[in-house]
Amino acid sequence: MPEPAETVDVDFVAPRHLADGGDPAWVTVPLHRACGWSYGHDPLMPRVILSSPDQKALLRLEPDPDGQWWTLTHAPEPDRPAWYASFGARTPVEIIAAFTDALTDPTADPSNARDPLEPLLRAGWSPAYHHYRFASPDGAVRVDIHGTTGTWWVGTSLDDTRPPVWQARFGEHTPGHLITAFTRALADTSPLLRQGNWFSIPAYGTEFITRTPGELPAAQVALRLEDRVRALAARTTGPPPSSPPPRRP
């Protein structure tokens, strides 16, 4: 009789914007292994620096107690000035990964970008305070778009008396299809899988979140990152060329 498969305890946390940061490897490992980003290794510094293959984009993950932990900068191009995006330490890595996955997607067409607010509106987010601010249905997330510069600010907080749990910021020239990938992941209502210290989540024990304990096969949990790397590495630069039409006799 086969032995039962080993399982591990996990938690499914909703809403995802309050699920805490998660494992940074969800972002950094696929960038390096699937997308060819290079890194400089400095064992004496608590930071990660990744450079895109064309050396135009630079991702810094640096524990900064007074600022954003994740910062992505991109050099200017003929059709776009330099731009940046940054994320706080507790920004769920799955939401950051949606942004970086769109950045590295060889099949992406920036000219087909939809309105980044569309995913929020479809998910029931509503305007609040003024035309450029949107709020999540639970009121925990607010989105501001500067009316003049077009810069974005996204802040998540438990209430107005406490500092934000995390923030995300996008420069005025950040490509719209990347912000759309971010807002789509932010508006997703599916819970996020978490392991480890539950007490690190700021909303622990509050009515803001729902924690659903569960069990998953240990092998499935261990291979989640590998599966993600393989899926991203399998992306192609476009559909295969079509076969030429048969010649008439």
Side-chain angles (χ1 to χ4, degrees):
M1 182 176 181
E3 295 183 2
E6 182 182 355
T7 62
V8 294
D9 295 329
V10 298
D11 292 299
F12 296 94
V13 183
R16 54 177 40 208
H17 48 259
L18 291 175
D20 206 36
D23 185 357
W26 195 253
V27 176
T28 59
V29 170
L31 281 177
H32 173 59
R33 292 178 49 195
C35 306
W37 288 44
S38 58
Y39 66 92
H41 180 61
D42 186 348
L44 301 181
M45 296 296 292
R47 67 186 180 193
V48 175
I49 300 177
L50 289 165
S51 302
S52 61
D54 60 7
Q55 300 298 303
K56 292 182 179 180
L58 182 71
L59 176 66
R60 299 174 65 95
L61 170 54
E62 191 166 14
D64 180 357
D66 299 318
Q68 303 287 82
W69 282 37
W70 299 82
T71 304
L72 195 153
T73 55
H74 199 285
E77 296 180 291
D79 61 341
R80 186 181 300 276
W83 57 268
Y84 74 89
S86 66
F87 309 93
R90 296 187 183 278
T91 310
V93 292
E94 293 85 353
I95 299 178
I96 300 175
F99 185 93
T100 57
D101 289 355
L103 173 64
T104 57
D105 186 353
T107 66
D109 183 1
S111 64
N112 288 335
R114 296 183 176 181
D115 179 3
L117 291 175
E118 182 182 341
L120 304 181
L121 293 171
R122 288 204 313 266
W125 293 45
S126 58
Y129 299 103
H130 57 73
H131 179 68
Y132 292 104
R133 171 169 285 188
F134 282 75
S136 59
D138 63 359
V141 189
R142 293 175 184 173
V143 176
D144 272 335
I145 309 170
H146 195 281
T148 302
T149 65
T151 57
W152 283 62
W153 175 88
V154 181
T156 300
S157 59
L158 301 181
D159 57 56
D160 292 334
T161 65
R162 287 182 273 188
V165 176
W166 60 265
Q167 298 180 43
R169 303 167 189 165
F170 303 108
E172 59 181 307
H173 300 297
T174 305
H177 74 289
L178 303 185
I179 303 179
T180 300
F182 172 88
T183 57
R184 187 182 300 117
L186 180 62
D188 190 345
T189 57
S190 59
L192 295 181
L193 186 152
R194 289 291 181 263
Q195 290 178 274
N197 185 8
W198 227 112
F199 299 97
S200 67
I201 299 179
Y204 173 80
T206 71
E207 72 280 5
F208 291 100
I209 59 174
T210 300
R211 171 198 174 198
T212 305
E215 290 185 352
L216 289 177
Q220 176 182 338
V221 175
L223 292 174
R224 287 178 71 239
L225 182 56
E226 290 297 323
D227 291 341
R228 170 168 156 73
V229 169
R230 280 194 294 268
L232 292 180
R235 297 181 301 185
T236 62
T237 56
S242 57
S243 301
R247 296 180 60 185
R248 287 182 175 272

